[in-house]
Amino acid sequence: ETGVTQTPRHLVMGMTNKKSLKCEQHLGHNAMYWYKQSAKKPLELMFVYSLEERVENNSVPSRFSPECPNSSHLFLHLHTLQPEDSALYLCASSQDLVGGPTEAFFGQGTRLTVV
Amino acid sequence: EDQVTQSPEALRLQEGESSSLNCSYTVSGLRGLFWYRQDPGKGPEFLFTLYSAGEEKEKERLKATLTKKESFLHITAPKPEDSATYLCAVQASGGSYIPTFGRGTSLIVHP
């Protein structure tokens, strides 16, 4: 248990569905991240939030929409996804982005399958 | 552009057969280098942070070392439960503060 909890662990959705992934951290961290992990590819950073402000968006398609209502919670809203979006989606948090311990702690991930 | 290259891509060892994993990096200035362990279908588990050349850290059968160009993760007398993918990431001191991850080394330890 790393202190970062993701739900659901598994999700199967059709291309016309709308769903949301949830992440909660109990570590008192200020930064939260969404990563995508596809087979045989390095981790791809999608979004970064610091103190609830989005600070990085790596050209992610608009069918992925993040939301950070407070420093403990992070959501990833999904709509009209494509089969190639099937992957393991990982949430992570770190104490800070700069100026302090910045190693990230990851949740267990959501295995998403788009059919 | 920051780059991280891990080798080998895959490694098979017999139980008790010590070896090392390599992480070569290119970064404008290193703020930190991170090692993670990832089991199939799970999120990466943080292992170590190294900050400067010459630094070493140990945890059970694992020891991480750092030079100005690369890091090694030494595995001494591995056991089957050490089987996992090991990820390396670097964080630059200037420019983007977002860690850059390597593709990982998949380690299998046979009993």
Side-chain angles (χ1 to χ4, degrees):
Chain A
E1 179 60 50
T2 65
V4 181
T5 303
Q6 289 187 243
T7 54
R9 291 294 312 277
H10 301 273
L11 178 63
V12 179
M13 59 185 290
M15 289 189 283
T16 59
N17 292 158
K18 290 184 179 181
K19 296 286 184 183
S20 296
L21 310 184
K22 179 182 176 182
C23 176
E24 183 174 2
Q25 59 100 354
H26 311 276
L27 301 170
H29 287 169
N30 294 321
M32 296 188 77
Y33 312 74
W34 280 117
Y35 282 90
K36 175 183 178 182
Q37 189 174 39
S38 305
K40 300 192 176 183
K41 288 186 177 181
L43 282 169
E44 300 174 52
L45 179 68
M46 300 176 73
F47 302 103
V48 181
Y49 279 81
S50 177
L51 295 172
E52 303 148 49
E53 298 279 335
R54 189 193 303 182
V55 297
E56 185 99 7
N57 173 357
N58 274 2
S59 302
V60 178
S62 59
R63 57 186 183 270
F64 295 92
S65 174
E67 178 189 1
C68 187
N70 55 62
S71 60
S72 298
H73 293 86
L74 186 65
F75 295 89
L76 188 62
H77 303 298
L78 317 170
H79 65 97
T80 59
L81 295 191
Q82 305 298 310
E84 59 264 29
D85 296 322
S86 299
L88 183 67
Y89 287 84
L90 292 162
C91 173
S93 71
S94 63
Q95 180 67 51
D96 289 289
L97 286 179
V98 292
T102 54
E103 52 267 12
F105 293 85
F106 287 82
Q108 296 288 48
T110 295
R111 171 64 64 185
L112 174 66
T113 304
V114 181
V115 297
Chain B
E1 182 181 337
D2 302 337
Q3 290 190 333
V4 178
T5 303
Q6 291 189 246
S7 62
E9 185 175 324
L11 180 64
R12 293 178 179 271
L13 299 173
Q14 288 298 126
E15 184 171 2
E17 180 186 2
S18 301
S19 189
S20 297
L21 312 182
N22 178 264
C23 172
S24 297
Y25 64 89
T26 303
V27 66
S28 54
L30 182 68
R31 187 174 191 283
L33 184 143
F34 312 109
W35 280 100
Y36 291 85
R37 168 196 170 124
Q38 186 174 23
D39 293 302
K42 296 188 176 181
E45 173 191 348
F46 171 73
L47 294 174
F48 305 109
T49 304
L50 301 169
Y51 293 104
S52 57
E55 188 176 2
E56 298 183 355
K57 288 193 176 174
E58 288 189 62
K59 179 180 180 180
E60 296 180 353
R61 294 176 293 281
L62 301 176
K63 183 169 81 171
T65 62
L66 181 65
T67 73
K68 290 186 178 180
K69 295 183 179 180
E70 58 192 348
S71 176
F72 291 94
L73 185 65
H74 305 278
I75 303 177
T76 302
K79 297 182 177 181
E81 53 262 42
D82 295 322
S83 298
T85 295
Y86 291 85
L87 299 171
C88 171
V90 297
Q91 184 184 41
S93 58
S96 173
Y97 36 74
I98 304 301
T100 300
F101 279 83
R103 292 173 179 268
T105 293
S106 174
L107 172 66
I108 298 175
V109 182
H110 296 286

